Amino acid sequence: NPMLGDKNGGLTLLDSSGVLLGISRNAKYHNQQVSLPPGGFLLLYSDALTECRNAANGEQFGQSAVMELVGKAATEHAPDPVQVIVKPFLEQVEQPLRDDLTLIWIGRR
């Protein structure tokens, strides 16, 4: 799910239901809008972020672990919040990654 965050560290998981992009020529999609508050951000990411296995216990990294890293990145106001997420993620998951990892952080000043 895409995440919408505010400057105080609040996180909201946005709706990602529906047919995956590119999976069907007959898929119909609906536009959705959300407001991006001043100081807020939108985080888009591939499923590798939640589905990679933790090296310590073999379990999926999971949505709650991702939200914890994203919350930390949001409250630190780091110049490169993606690195605040990716660095500890890569330190915790099995290597090499078996899936592509993509993160896009769109912030509003």
Side-chain angles (χ1 to χ4, degrees):
N1 296 68
M3 284 187 210
L4 182 67
D6 63 38
K7 63 183 176 184
N8 299 318
L11 297 174
T12 303
L13 292 175
L14 301 176
D15 180 24
S16 65
S17 61
V19 179
L20 299 173
L21 286 174
I23 205 163
S24 171
R25 290 180 184 216
N26 300 321
K28 298 213 186 281
Y29 300 100
H30 303 280
N31 291 329
Q32 296 184 33
Q33 291 184 335
V34 294
S35 295
L36 186 58
F41 64 90
L42 176 66
L43 179 68
L44 307 168
Y45 52 93
S46 63
D47 60 355
L49 195 60
T50 56
E51 294 178 0
C52 281
R53 302 260 173 212
N54 187 304
N57 60 22
E59 295 179 3
Q60 285 189 341
F61 196 70
Q63 191 72 51
S64 61
V66 170
M67 290 184 76
E68 186 177 319
L69 291 178
V70 173
K72 181 178 180 188
T75 56
E76 284 185 6
H77 305 288
D80 188 356
V82 169
Q83 285 305 313
V84 175
I85 299 166
V86 171
K87 187 175 185 285
F89 169 79
L90 291 175
E91 291 170 352
Q92 295 178 54
V93 298
E94 294 176 350
Q95 299 290 330
L97 297 181
R98 294 186 175 145
D99 198 357
D100 65 292
L101 177 61
T102 303
L103 282 89
I104 301 171
W105 181 289
I106 302 168
R108 179 175 176 198
R109 295 179 186 215

